[in-house]
């Protein structure tokens, strides 16, 4: 692992870049609605829908591309597509181009995540895989925490009423290529610069040959057909779908809700979304310890009930309560994805690679969840629309009661944990 420290650092930079770009949609939604004069929330909801739809489409084909062309070409294309998508919107800032940009970025990000998981196992070594995976999750969370703060900084510094040229070279450069009435577009130039650095890094680096393990292989047509006949496959697929719907439905519309109901300016107080991702990162760390002490099904039940309480508090509480409860949801849902995924794979006797591919396709919940919330919000109110998230969380909690994995997570007593 010491020998490959530089390559591991590069992989962590890849994860940072992915998260920095993909988890910024929430604070941007109010700006998108305002600048493009969108008549309803559903039109704003098409932005995450286009991204996650592309994600779901490309998840399985990306594995086939790795088998045929190798990891480096797929890695390079994975960064090239988001680079093209961000440049397109940075230059042509229209609503249709934003939709196209989100779709192109989603295709690339699906390719990246497919290749990075087995790559970090190969580079770090199988004996260190759990540690490296948690480190990647930590980098992912740090980037999600920082990107809304960068957004707030750029909005403040490039505001047409307060911006003064000549004080900062980089800000002057961004001001020259960003519409004065749309300072948030400057983020896409930042994304482009970051992606260009990653493209250069991939181009000059030599990557080890990846040998996919059974659970990482995409599988055969017959294995998929056999799995599709199993009821538990569809039940767990729906579980992943509901989790991503919960995560994105909350993070994307949180800023809009706080603006509509509590007059919280998303441009100056957009840090709430940052806290959401920051607390999710903290929750992952806490979850590592709790999974050593508790049965994962019981932990999923507790997380589900806590999330429902926090969501109701955020939607019906005072301004101060909402400002605390919304970010806290990030903490309460942080362990759900890994628990559902592990319960699913531990419920299957074979075809784990194919099953994992099916579960990854359920990330389409990032498209479905926001669309359900926004459609209901347009027909009623945003509060009512976000109440639909309770259904998603309720189903996730239900999994904690009916799941019967073949293998349960190993637990120890508290005093044994610190030995």
């Amino acid at each position: 692992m010491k020998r490959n420290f530089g390559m591991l650092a590069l992989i962590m930079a890849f994860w940072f870049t992915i998260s920095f770009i993909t988890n910024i949609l929430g604070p941007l939604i109010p700006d998108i609605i305002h600048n493009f004069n969108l008549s309803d929330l559903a039109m704003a909801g098409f932005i995450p829908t286009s991204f996650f739809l592309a994600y779901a489409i490309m998840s399985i084909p990306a594995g086939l591309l790795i088998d045929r062309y190798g990891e480096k070409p797929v890695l390079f294309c994975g960064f090239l597509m988001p680079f093209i998508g961000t440049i397109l919107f940075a230059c042509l800032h229209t609503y249709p181009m934003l939709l196209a940009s989100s779709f192109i970025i989603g295709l690339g990000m699906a390719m990246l995540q497919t290749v990075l998981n087995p790559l970090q196992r190969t580079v770090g070594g199988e004996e260190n895989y759990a540690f490296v995976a948690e480190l990647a999750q930590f980098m992912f969370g740090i980037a999600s925490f920082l990107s809304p703060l960068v957004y707030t900084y750029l909005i403040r510094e490039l505001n047409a009423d307060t911006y003064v040229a000549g004080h900062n070279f980089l800000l002057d450069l961004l001001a020259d290529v960003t519409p004065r009435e749309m300072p948030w577009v400057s983020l896409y130039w930042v994304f482009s610069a970051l992606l260009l650095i990653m493209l250069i890094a991939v181009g000059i680096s030599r990557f080890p040959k990846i040998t996919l393990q059974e659970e990482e292989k995409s599988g055969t047509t017959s294995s998929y057909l056999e799995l599709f006949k199993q009821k538990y496959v569809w039940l767990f697929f729906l579980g992943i779908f509901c989790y991503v719907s919960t995560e994105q439905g909350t993070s994307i519309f949180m800023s809009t809700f706080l603006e509509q109901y509590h007059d919280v300016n998303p441009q100056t107080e957009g840090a709430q979304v940052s806290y959401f991702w920051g607390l999710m990162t903290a929750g992952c760390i806490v979850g590592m310890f709790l999974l050593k002490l508790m049965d994962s099904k019981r932990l999923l039940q507790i997380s589900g009930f806590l999330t429902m309480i926090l969501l109701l508090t955020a939607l019906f509480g005072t301004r101060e309560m909402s400002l605390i409860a919304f970010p806290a949801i990030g903490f309460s849902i942080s362990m759900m994805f890994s628990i559902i995924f592990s319960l699913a794979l531990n419920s299957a006797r074979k075809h784990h690679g194919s099953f994992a591919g099916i579960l990854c396709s359920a990330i389409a919940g990032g498209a479905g969840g926001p669309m359900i919330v926004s459609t209901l919000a347009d027909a009623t109110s945003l509060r009512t629309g976000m109440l639909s998230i309770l259904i998603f969380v309720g189903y996730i909690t239900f999994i904690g009661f009916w799941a019967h994995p073949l293998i349960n997570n190993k637990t120890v007593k508290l005093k044994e944990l610190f030995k």
Side-chain angles (χ1 to χ4, degrees), residues 114-136:
T114 303
V115 72
L116 282 179
N117 283 302
L119 180 62
Q120 70 188 20
R121 174 184 54 77
T122 301
V123 172
E126 292 187 19
E127 68 278 10
N128 301 308
Y129 183 56
F131 173 79
V132 173
E134 285 301 323
L135 182 59

Side-chain angles (χ1 to χ4, degrees), residues 205-248:
S205 300
R206 296 184 64 181
F207 298 93
K209 176 66 178 177
I210 296 175
T211 302
L212 296 179
Q213 293 185 341
E214 176 60 31
E215 67 270 15
E216 295 168 335
K217 294 179 180 178
S218 56
T220 62
T221 302
S222 60
S223 65
Y224 283 108
L225 291 176
E226 186 176 337
L227 284 169
F228 286 147
K229 296 177 183 178
Q230 305 296 323
K231 184 174 75 171
Y232 72 86
V233 171
W234 293 104
L235 292 174
F236 280 114
F237 176 92
L238 185 57
I240 296 294
F241 184 96
C242 285
Y243 167 77
V244 185
S245 294
T246 299
E247 176 193 279
Q248 294 300 315

Side-chain angles (χ1 to χ4, degrees), residues 123-246:
V123 172
E126 292 187 19
E127 68 278 10
N128 301 308
Y129 183 56
F131 173 79
V132 173
E134 285 301 323
L135 182 59
Q137 186 66 37
F138 180 74
M139 292 300 296
F140 199 87
I142 290 295
S144 299
F145 174 75
L146 290 177
S147 56
L149 299 181
V150 173
Y151 158 80
T152 302
Y153 171 78
L154 290 175
I155 289 292
R156 183 179 68 247
E157 296 299 322
L158 296 177
N159 188 291
D161 297 327
T162 58
Y163 169 70
V164 179
H167 288 180
N168 186 300
F169 172 75
L170 291 177
L171 287 175
D172 292 342
L173 198 59
L174 287 173
D176 289 339
V177 293
T178 303
R180 292 176 64 84
E181 71 280 5
M182 300 170 67
W184 58 276
V185 174
S186 60
L187 264 177
Y188 279 77
W189 288 111
V190 174
F191 295 159
S192 299
L194 192 56
L195 288 164
L196 180 59
I197 294 172
M198 294 301 108
L199 282 169
I200 295 171
V202 172
I204 64 176
S205 300
R206 296 184 64 181
F207 298 93
K209 176 66 178 177
I210 296 175
T211 302
L212 296 179
Q213 293 185 341
E214 176 60 31
E215 67 270 15
E216 295 168 335
K217 294 179 180 178
S218 56
T220 62
T221 302
S222 60
S223 65
Y224 283 108
L225 291 176
E226 186 176 337
L227 284 169
F228 286 147
K229 296 177 183 178
Q230 305 296 323
K231 184 174 75 171
Y232 72 86
V233 171
W234 293 104
L235 292 174
F236 280 114
F237 176 92
L238 185 57
I240 296 294
F241 184 96
C242 285
Y243 167 77
V244 185
S245 294
T246 299

